[in-house]
Amino acid sequence: MKRIVVFSLALVMLLGGLSGCAIKPKPEDALEAFLLASQSEEEGEYRDYFDSDVEVFETEDTPDPENPMETKEIEDRLNELFTQFTYEITTVEKSEDGDTARVTVEMVTVDAGEIMADFVNLLIVKATELGQNGGTEEQMTALIGPTFLEAMKDAKIDKLSTVTVKMNYDKENKKWWIAGGDTNLKFIDALMGGMITTMKEYEAMFPAE
């Protein structure tokens, strides 16, 4: 009888140990949770995954009716393109103290740079033609939205990026977070098909007056 009790206690301890190992958080799981959420077109809260604010995500939810690039059609098409990416987590490196980790992920996304190049080329052709026919400033502005939609029409999901994501471990809450601020800006840029880099390049080429 004593041996049965000892065996039962050992079994409980073993199962408890295995259970503890099974639920121990992993940095790659936290990153994957964010990637899976990003593949969904449903609105989510990025702060559920990042340990601090990320400026690029701090945007107004309501489109500006005065901005020809902020229409419902454009928003829907961008959401469609940005959620069609695929990914593979390739390596995970944790620090010796277990407080941080670096997770490398390969992603295949839309190429934002290609979309913008097509958009600018199309817009130049249309604006030139309109100008030659005596088009007004309002007509020029009206070209922007439809031309951007046209540039996105046949966009492909074929841009390969490999980035390393820094993760931070919250010992108190036993949770891994994606480092916020500008720490993982390259990762966010890659996730958006290089949109951040592309917009900075065009802002430098066409500075606001």
Side-chain angles (χ1 to χ4, degrees), residues 79-122:
N79 284 337
E80 181 183 13
L81 290 174
F82 287 152
T83 56
Q84 289 180 3
F85 68 92
T86 59
Y87 68 90
E88 180 182 0
I89 293 175
T90 56
T91 62
V92 180
E93 298 180 5
K94 293 174 65 175
S95 62
E96 291 185 6
D97 57 13
D99 287 345
T100 63
R102 297 175 68 82
V103 181
T104 302
V105 57
E106 290 183 354
M107 295 183 291
V108 180
T109 66
V110 68
D111 190 334
E114 188 173 290
I115 289 175
M116 287 300 296
D118 290 345
F119 165 61
V120 170
N121 290 334
L122 284 169

Side-chain angles (χ1 to χ4, degrees), residues 3 41 62 69 116 134-135 142 148 175 196:
R3 282 184 294 178
E41 292 192 24
T62 305
M69 296 286 280
M116 287 300 296
F148 191 51
K175 178 176 179 177
I196 298 173

Side-chain angles (χ1 to χ4, degrees), residues 28-171:
E28 61 268 35
D29 291 344
L31 176 60
E32 184 161 34
F34 172 71
L35 291 170
L36 289 172
S38 299
Q39 286 178 327
S40 170
E41 292 192 24
E42 297 180 5
E43 291 189 7
E45 179 54 69
Y46 82 87
R47 291 185 183 85
D48 292 338
Y49 308 95
F50 287 77
D51 63 4
S52 60
D53 291 348
V54 179
E55 185 177 355
V56 71
F57 291 143
E58 297 292 326
T59 57
E60 295 292 335
D61 294 332
T62 305
D64 180 1
E66 301 298 322
N67 189 337
M69 296 286 280
E70 293 188 19
T71 66
K72 185 66 166 57
E73 292 81 6
I74 289 176
E75 180 184 355
D76 289 345
R77 181 57 177 154
L78 284 172
N79 284 337
E80 181 183 13
L81 290 174
F82 287 152
T83 56
Q84 289 180 3
F85 68 92
T86 59
Y87 68 90
E88 180 182 0
I89 293 175
T90 56
T91 62
V92 180
E93 298 180 5
K94 293 174 65 175
S95 62
E96 291 185 6
D97 57 13
D99 287 345
T100 63
R102 297 175 68 82
V103 181
T104 302
V105 57
E106 290 183 354
M107 295 183 291
V108 180
T109 66
V110 68
D111 190 334
E114 188 173 290
I115 289 175
M116 287 300 296
D118 290 345
F119 165 61
V120 170
N121 290 334
L122 284 169
L123 190 60
I124 289 173
V125 171
K126 292 183 177 184
T128 300
E129 182 180 351
L130 185 61
Q132 291 173 344
N133 292 312
T136 65
E137 183 177 345
E138 289 76 14
Q139 290 175 315
M140 291 284 188
T141 301
L143 284 175
I144 296 175
T147 303
F148 191 51
L149 281 171
E150 184 178 347
M152 292 190 289
K153 180 181 178 182
D154 298 318
K156 298 179 176 62
I157 311 299
D158 59 3
K159 179 181 175 65
L160 175 64
S161 302
T162 301
V163 290
T164 299
V165 185
K166 183 181 178 183
M167 312 287 294
N168 293 326
Y169 186 56
D170 179 354
K171 291 182 177 178

